[in-house]
Amino acid sequence: MQSAAGSANEAHPLFGGALSAVIPHSATDISELREIPDNQEVFAHAHTDQSLIVELVEYQGQVADQDAARYHFEDIAGSNKALEPGAFEVTSVVALPKSELSLSECSTAWMLSGTQCVSKFNEEARNSVTIHLGLFRLPQFSTDVLITFNDPQSISPESSSACAVGTHQQPWMVKDFQHLVQTLTLHNPGVFG
């Protein structure tokens, strides 16, 4: 299995080369292990339980820009079955200056940080996961681009993820995620359909 990450600043093609971004060290392309939906690129850290997902989703025009990151975070919480009170929390939402981004086609960009208590593979055991979410709004393509960094903070001993505990050899840092967000580049708008 190949590592998806090249040199520290080498862009990795995404969605057949329609987009690219710098993927952090020790990343494994999950599409080499299992089928991934066509609207996602999924990478897992080779030695931790961390993951990164780049996802193309429908633009939510009814949601104001300043609320869109929270909207998508809550949608992810629903997918993670983490919607009950106390199972998720947003800790910050900030606008990203377009001058710091390679994806100049976006109308606005946002970064959200929060936590969710999630189970893996529908297990009973729940893990506390910090989620960093980058959102690029592209209304001209009817698309929102999400980049999600899942960073487990506490793993239940009953979780299948418990085997990854203690193997945190050079885990990804928030700066690695931020670098991916800043380097996301559009090469072919045809990817949006």
Side-chain angles (χ1 to χ4, degrees):
M1 182 172 358
Q2 296 242 33
S3 172
S7 68
N9 286 307
E10 184 179 324
H12 180 81
L14 303 168
F15 303 101
L19 293 156
S20 68
V22 175
I23 305 299
H25 67 86
S26 304
T28 299
D29 185 340
I30 296 303
S31 68
E32 296 177 7
L33 301 174
R34 67 175 190 263
E35 196 166 320
I36 299 295
D38 289 343
N39 70 318
Q40 292 183 347
E41 294 276 358
V42 181
F43 302 93
H45 191 290
H47 306 291
T48 72
D49 213 32
Q50 296 173 312
S51 64
L52 288 161
I53 303 169
V54 181
E55 187 171 15
L56 309 178
V57 297
E58 184 179 351
Y59 177 76
Q60 299 299 317
Q62 79 282 6
V63 180
D65 286 347
Q66 66 271 18
D67 299 327
R70 183 180 298 270
Y71 172 90
H72 288 294
F73 180 81
E74 290 178 3
D75 187 54
I76 292 167
S79 296
N80 287 338
K81 297 179 176 62
L83 281 176
E84 62 271 4
F88 73 97
E89 176 186 17
V90 173
T91 52
S92 71
V93 181
V94 295
L96 298 176
K98 285 179 67 174
S99 61
E100 296 178 10
L101 304 172
S102 298
L103 189 65
S104 58
E105 295 84 357
C106 66
S107 62
T108 61
W110 301 83
M111 188 167 303
L112 175 146
S113 294
T115 57
Q116 294 184 9
C117 292
V118 302
S119 59
K120 197 168 183 179
F121 308 122
N122 294 316
E123 298 171 339
E124 289 295 317
R126 293 204 165 252
N127 305 317
S128 176
V129 179
T130 296
I131 297 177
H132 300 280
L133 182 124
L135 168 65
F136 297 90
R137 306 218 71 198
L138 297 144
Q140 70 275 35
F141 301 119
S142 301
T143 302
D144 281 341
V145 178
L146 302 178
I147 302 176
T148 308
F149 172 31
N150 298 295
D151 188 14
Q153 298 302 303
S154 80
I155 305 292
S156 168
E158 290 84 38
S159 171
S160 61
S161 295
C163 63
V165 174
T167 62
H168 288 195
Q169 303 165 6
Q170 296 184 321
W172 292 331
M173 308 300 282
V174 173
K175 67 181 172 89
D176 297 315
F177 165 72
Q178 291 168 334
H179 191 58
L180 188 159
V181 168
Q182 292 169 335
T183 60
L184 184 69
T185 305
L186 176 64
H187 303 288
N188 179 0
V191 72
F192 301 122

